[in-house]
Amino acid sequence: MIALVLGGSSQIGHCLLPLLQAEGIEVLALSRQPARDAPAAVRWLQGALPAPLPPLPELHYVFSAGPLDALAAWLPAAPLAAGARVLATSSMSALSKQDSPLAAERALAACLRGAEQTLAQVCAQRGVGWTVLRPTLIYGVGRDRSLTPLVRRAQRTRLFPLPRGAGLRQPVHATDVARALLVAALRAQALDAVLEFGGGDRLSAAQMFARVRASLPFATLGVPLPRALLAAAALHPVLRGPIARLDRDLIADNAPAVAALGVTPRAFRPDARCWGL
C-alpha cells in the first residue's frame, strides 16, 4: 500500500508520517523542502501543487495538508488505485471568515467551500472514497502560524500580549488531526464527508492566551491590551479580521467526527514542546 502525503513537512505532515509507517504503509512525501527530522524510510519528492508532480506509482491513499483547491484541480489526473482514499484538511475558516470585514478573508472562505465541493465531485466521478476535516486553530509542534509566532516574539522580548477576547476558542493538536485522517483512511467504509474537528477544550480567547503564556519555560511580563488599543490596531488591514473575531466563537461541532472516527482530541494543556522550545 502506497500513500502520498502532500505537505509532508507541514505540522500535520510531520505528525502523520510516523503514523503511516507504523501501519506498514509505504510513504511518499511531497514538499518544497524535505523535512530534516522525518523518518528515514520516507521517500521525499520536491515540489508543490499546482506545479506538475514527479512521476508517481499507483496510489492507495492521498493525504493532503496543503491548499485544497490545488488538490482538487490535480485529482482528475492523479494515479489512483481502485478503492483509493483521499484524505484532506480544509479549515473552519470556510465558515468563520465567510462574513469577515476583509474581502480577502471572505474570498478565502469561498475558495475553501468551493474546493471542498469540487473534491467531493471529482472523487465521486472517479469512484474513490474521501474525507475532509475542517480543523480549528492547529498547534502542537512549533510550526503553526498563530500561537508559535507569539511565543517566539515573547522569547525575544519577554513581553506577552494578553488581548481580552471573550469569544470561545478550541485549539486542536496537530497529532490529533493526523490521527483522525489516518483512521478515516483505514475505515472499512469511506466516510465521504466534510467533518468539523476541534480540540478537546472550549475556552475564551483570553484564557487560551493565558495558557500559552503559562506553558513557557521562561518568565514573561503579561501586557493586557485594552479595548481602545485594539480598536486602534484594527485600523490596520492585516489586524482588522483577527481583532474583529476576538469576541466571536471559533469552535467546531466535534460530535459527528468523534462518532465516526472514535478519535477524541486532547484538552488544551500545552507545554514548551508545543512551541518547539
Side-chain angles (χ1 to χ4, degrees):
M1 306 293 279
I2 302 176
L4 174 66
V5 179
L6 303 170
S9 61
S10 69
Q11 55 184 335
I12 295 173
H14 170 80
C15 297
L16 179 61
L17 297 181
L19 296 179
L20 289 169
Q21 289 197 308
E23 294 291 334
I25 297 171
E26 182 180 346
V27 181
L28 309 178
L30 181 79
S31 65
R32 290 181 175 87
Q33 296 294 332
R36 296 178 181 177
D37 53 354
V42 171
R43 177 185 166 194
W44 283 96
L45 306 174
Q46 192 165 350
L49 294 174
L53 301 189
L56 296 169
E58 193 173 61
L59 302 170
H60 301 90
Y61 304 105
V62 174
F63 293 87
S64 175
L68 197 61
D69 54 343
L71 170 67
W74 171 74
L75 279 176
L80 302 178
R85 300 278 178 89
V86 176
L87 303 308
T89 54
S90 178
S91 170
M92 284 299 294
S93 294
L95 300 181
S96 64
K97 293 182 179 179
Q98 60 183 339
D99 57 354
S100 168
L102 298 181
E105 291 190 342
R106 295 194 301 273
L108 171 63
C111 178
L112 287 169
R113 295 193 306 274
E116 291 170 356
Q117 294 171 1
T118 301
L119 183 146
Q121 293 167 357
V122 171
C123 288
Q125 291 166 0
R126 299 207 56 181
V128 299
W130 61 277
T131 303
V132 172
L133 295 185
R134 284 177 175 169
T136 52
L137 187 156
I138 304 173
Y139 75 100
V141 294
R143 302 187 184 194
D144 64 275
R145 298 180 182 178
S146 301
L147 298 178
T148 294
L150 295 178
V151 169
R152 299 291 169 81
R153 190 176 301 114
Q155 188 178 27
R156 294 192 304 269
T157 65
R158 292 302 194 264
L159 301 176
F160 197 97
L162 297 170
R164 296 183 178 179
L168 293 179
R169 297 295 184 268
Q170 199 173 354
V172 61
H173 198 286
T175 297
D176 294 332
V177 178
R179 186 175 293 111
L181 290 173
L182 178 63
V183 171
L186 299 180
R187 287 179 86 252
Q189 298 295 325
L191 279 172
D192 296 349
V194 177
L195 299 172
E196 299 180 9
F197 197 73
D201 272 344
R202 291 181 175 182
L203 63 167
S204 71
Q207 290 173 321
M208 178 184 71
F209 292 126
R211 288 192 189 179
V212 173
R213 183 188 174 207
S215 74
L216 303 183
F218 48 83
T220 61
L221 174 65
V223 182
L225 301 182
R227 295 286 179 176
L229 179 61
L230 291 173
L235 297 176
H236 193 290
V238 174
L239 299 176
R240 188 179 306 153
I243 290 174
R245 288 188 290 275
L246 277 173
D247 289 321
R248 291 184 53 191
D249 293 344
L250 303 180
I251 55 178
D253 178 5
N254 277 3
V258 172
L261 303 174
V263 176
T264 302
R266 72 195 69 186
F268 186 60
R269 297 289 187 271
D271 58 26
R273 293 171 297 177
C274 293
W275 323 119
L277 301 178

